[in-house]
Amino acid sequence: MALTTIIFIVAIVVVLWILFVIFPINLWITAIFSGVKINLMDLVFMRFRKVPPGLIARSMIIATKAGLPSISTSQMETHYLANGNLQNVIKALIVADKANLKLSFQQATAIDLAGRDVLQAVQVSVTPYMIIVPAIMGVSLDGIQLIAIARVTVRTNLQRLVGGAGEETIKARVGQGIISCIGTAKSYYEVLENPENISKKVLADGLDSGTAFEILSIDIADIDIGINIGATLQIDQATADLSIAKAKAEEKRAMAVASEQEMMARIQKAKASFIRAESEIPIALSGAFKSGRFY
């Protein structure tokens, strides 16, 4: 009798272990009462595929309760096995659905597998944020250097997020546009009086093309006056011209000194010739006396 009782207890324990460990009855029941149609055997086979059935079941329940379009357990398993962040994808889909953003499960998983934070991307698309552009230096046509500080408000473009350029491209393009606008201004007064013209011109150039963002506004936060590049260049040019003039003057002076020394040498040579000629006069006189040709 005792042996029969022990066998009965062991059989009950084995059955319960099979029901609650091998067969996740609790997850299946929870899913059924949550309105999720999921096959019990699918939950069982997930363990053999090394997929946590609890994660899939909870994700299905959350997606169903949020009113998301039908997502199959096979799709969720595939994304999990591809080392994707399934919970992040489901949360991103819920946020996008509540914000009336077009984002499918395929797009969300592609963004996630591309290494981007899909939830953060959706949140940025819902709530725009600001990119701080480093101080940009430009020179107007009158030679005055201007230093502009810009703030770019962007939101994520979910359709271009995969393969789109990032923040650094936005900063570079905005900086290039600001430099171009300042460089075409006839006077720095124009820039200081109407800084919004820079924003309008730069924004109209479509700088967000090919990026993962959509530029909402470009604001010039501050413009400072730098050095007078034109005057500095003129001073440098004058200094260079002065150095050239000095070099040429020094060259002429050296040539004059050399010419003077050459003339002094010629004078000394002429004096030597004269002295030599004078020394020959007495000899000529004595020869004339001796030969009787001196009259």
Side-chain angles (χ1 to χ4, degrees), residues 266-282:
R266 289 181 179 180
I267 291 173
Q268 294 299 325
K269 184 178 180 181
K271 285 183 177 180
S273 298
F274 177 74
I275 292 172
R276 185 168 58 250
E278 283 185 339
S279 65
E280 291 177 353
I281 292 174

Side-chain angles (χ1 to χ4, degrees), residues 138-148 181-198 220 223-231:
V139 181
S140 58
L141 293 177
D142 57 356
I144 304 299
Q145 182 189 62
L146 297 174
I147 305 170
C181 289
I182 293 176
T184 55
K186 294 181 180 179
S187 172
Y188 74 99
Y189 289 111
E190 295 181 7
V191 180
L192 295 178
E193 290 174 357
N194 301 296
E196 67 276 4
N197 289 342
I198 296 179
I220 305 300
I223 297 180
D224 294 327
I225 299 176
I227 60 177
N228 191 330
I229 299 294

Side-chain angles (χ1 to χ4, degrees), residues 38-212:
I38 188 169
N39 195 313
L40 178 60
M41 295 308 297
D42 286 341
L43 294 175
V44 174
F45 290 129
M46 284 179 192
R47 295 186 183 278
F48 295 100
R49 291 192 289 267
K50 296 184 179 181
V51 177
L55 174 64
I56 302 300
R58 285 192 298 271
S59 299
M60 289 288 292
I61 292 170
I62 293 172
T64 302
K65 291 296 183 182
L68 296 179
S70 178
I71 304 172
S72 67
T73 56
S74 177
Q75 289 176 306
M76 292 188 178
E77 285 187 65
T78 301
H79 187 63
Y80 176 81
L81 292 173
N83 295 323
N85 191 331
L86 183 58
Q87 290 179 323
N88 232 26
V89 168
I90 297 299
K91 291 178 182 178
L93 288 171
I94 293 172
V95 175
D97 182 67
K98 300 304 178 185
N100 294 322
L101 298 176
K102 292 182 179 180
L103 181 66
S104 65
F105 181 77
Q106 289 76 13
Q107 288 176 316
T109 53
I111 293 171
D112 184 57
L113 294 177
R116 294 183 180 268
D117 191 331
V118 62
L119 179 58
Q120 182 184 13
V122 173
Q123 290 172 339
V124 171
S125 184
V126 175
T127 306
Y129 83 110
M130 185 176 292
I131 295 178
I132 309 298
V133 180
I136 303 298
M137 291 183 290
V139 181
S140 58
L141 293 177
D142 57 356
I144 304 299
Q145 182 189 62
L146 297 174
I147 305 170
I149 300 175
R151 303 286 185 267
V152 184
T153 304
V154 300
R155 67 181 176 190
T156 304
N157 189 322
L158 297 176
Q159 309 304 319
R160 296 200 305 255
L161 189 58
V162 177
E167 290 186 20
E168 295 303 318
T169 301
I170 294 290
K171 292 179 182 179
R173 290 183 179 179
V174 170
Q176 179 181 348
I178 291 174
I179 293 173
S180 177
C181 289
I182 293 176
T184 55
K186 294 181 180 179
S187 172
Y188 74 99
Y189 289 111
E190 295 181 7
V191 180
L192 295 178
E193 290 174 357
N194 301 296
E196 67 276 4
N197 289 342
I198 296 179
S199 301
K200 293 178 182 178
K201 291 179 181 179
V202 174
L203 192 59
D205 289 339
L207 302 181
D208 53 7
S209 175
T211 68

